[in-house]
Amino acid sequence: MKRLFLLVSLLVLSKFSAQTWATEDQYIQKFAQYAVEEMEKYKIPASITLAQGLLETGGGQSRLALEGKNHFGIKCKEDWTGKTMKHTDDAPNECFRVYEDPRQSYEDHSIFLSTRKYYTNLFKLDMKDYRAWAYGLKKAGYATNPRYASILIGKIERYKLYEFDNTNSKEVLYAVLSLYPNLKDDRTFMAQLEPSKVAKKDPVTVNVPYKQTSYAQQQKRVERIKTKAEILNSILIKSHPNDGLKYIVIPEDTDVKYIANKFKVSEGRLIKWNELEGTALKKNDIVFLESKNSTGNTAVYKAESGEDMHDIAQKFGIKLHKLYVKNRMDEGQQPSPGQLIYLIDKKPRN
């Protein structure tokens, strides 16, 4: 009787195991959406992000991922002001970042890559060339393992993660279903694909009073009615022509604190790097996420009406005091319309 019971138990367990996914498959199903969202915002291949997450977390099972929701092993660094945890990695009891939600870890990973100079060349690569990105990460020093690139490529090709480079955040779950067709029997997953079958609150509707006008003008009115939070959340990091400096353009009036929190940079650094006199930021302000350069990428510039030296320094990614020195001007002095401003060499003496 005992042998029969044991045999039946083993059969049940083996059947159960056959119906469940391996850890790495479960990780892909759960976090592919985050990787695609980050690809849309920061132009990092979703396949690369997902493969890195798989590798760093051991399929979501690492201590950092489970306790700290840290999926990419990002350490505290001097500019981190959030929660932390101690973990032994390259050395005992190193400081690692702790997140409230894995999605924050995914975005922090994107910010980490897009705001550091040694990864600048990655963003010149084809976004769908995961092999070039894998070798580019290794070349830039992202990991010390000499096989890092081949390991990433191996995971991407084994699990067909390159499929996620060809989708978008609205269709990513269909891409997951295509890779894992048995998910059609998973009610929770299918409910995400068919939200109409799930009880939900009525959507919030933005009422835009009708006026007989052009479509373009009506769209502008819709944009104005959007909430400030929605607009600010759409900020994307850009690469400046001056040596690839990372910067953003403020889409709506806000303050330094908001930008500091969003991009995980201290308020003090933002104020210093951008030579700000206060914390208020106006729509269309240029804000650099790293220290500006001492020189420009073009020889001269003709000042426009209403521009001051700070405007020009931000436009060309040059430190303000260096700009004053190059043009033999006293700090605080402003250019006149049409004045030639020197950006690389020092202004010749008269």
Side-chain angles (χ1 to χ4, degrees), residues 116-125 133 139 246:
R116 282 162 171 75
K117 275 190 175 179
Y118 28 89
Y119 299 123
T120 298
N121 287 334
L122 289 174
F123 295 87
K124 299 176 184 176
L125 300 173
W133 273 78
K139 185 177 180 180
K246 300 304 177 184

Side-chain angles (χ1 to χ4, degrees), residues 22 48 93 115 117 119 144 165 189 191-192 203 224 247 272 308 313 318 336 343:
I48 286 290
N93 294 321
T115 58
K117 275 190 175 179
Y119 299 123
T144 56
D165 295 339
F189 179 83
Q192 298 177 72
R224 286 197 295 270
Y247 75 101
K272 180 181 178 181
D308 60 25
I318 305 174
S336 55
L343 306 175

Side-chain angles (χ1 to χ4, degrees), residues 87-225:
H87 180 72
T88 298
D89 188 44
D90 297 324
N93 294 321
E94 291 185 281
C95 182
F96 285 84
R97 302 181 181 191
V98 170
Y99 305 95
E100 297 295 328
D101 185 275
R103 182 176 260 114
Q104 295 175 342
S105 177
Y106 267 74
E107 180 156 30
D108 205 20
H109 168 261
S110 299
I111 293 170
F112 182 85
L113 290 182
S114 61
T115 58
R116 282 162 171 75
K117 275 190 175 179
Y118 28 89
Y119 299 123
T120 298
N121 287 334
L122 289 174
F123 295 87
K124 299 176 184 176
L125 300 173
D126 182 346
M127 199 170 67
K128 294 184 179 181
D129 189 349
Y130 61 86
R131 286 178 164 270
W133 273 78
Y135 285 111
L137 280 166
K138 178 65 186 79
K139 185 177 180 180
Y142 188 91
T144 56
N145 187 338
R147 295 187 58 250
Y148 186 75
S150 59
I151 292 172
L152 289 185
I153 292 169
K155 289 190 179 295
I156 290 170
E157 295 181 345
R158 176 184 177 185
Y159 293 109
K160 300 181 180 178
L161 301 184
Y162 46 76
E163 296 291 350
F164 297 113
D165 295 339
N166 299 301
T167 188
N168 57 59
S169 57
K170 292 182 180 179
E171 299 176 355
V172 60
L173 293 180
Y174 291 98
V176 172
L177 184 60
S178 177
L179 291 174
Y180 300 98
N182 284 353
L183 282 173
K184 69 180 185 300
D185 299 322
D186 186 316
R187 290 184 180 181
T188 302
F189 179 83
M190 292 306 293
Q192 298 177 72
L193 283 177
E194 304 171 27
S196 60
K197 296 183 180 180
V198 182
K200 59 181 181 180
K201 297 179 181 178
D202 292 334
V204 177
T205 303
V206 175
N207 292 314
V208 182
Y210 174 75
K211 282 187 179 181
Q212 190 169 358
T213 182
S214 71
Y215 175 79
Q217 290 174 322
Q218 185 73 351
Q219 284 299 101
K220 287 181 180 178
R221 296 181 69 230
V222 172
E223 287 298 317
R224 286 197 295 270
I225 291 172

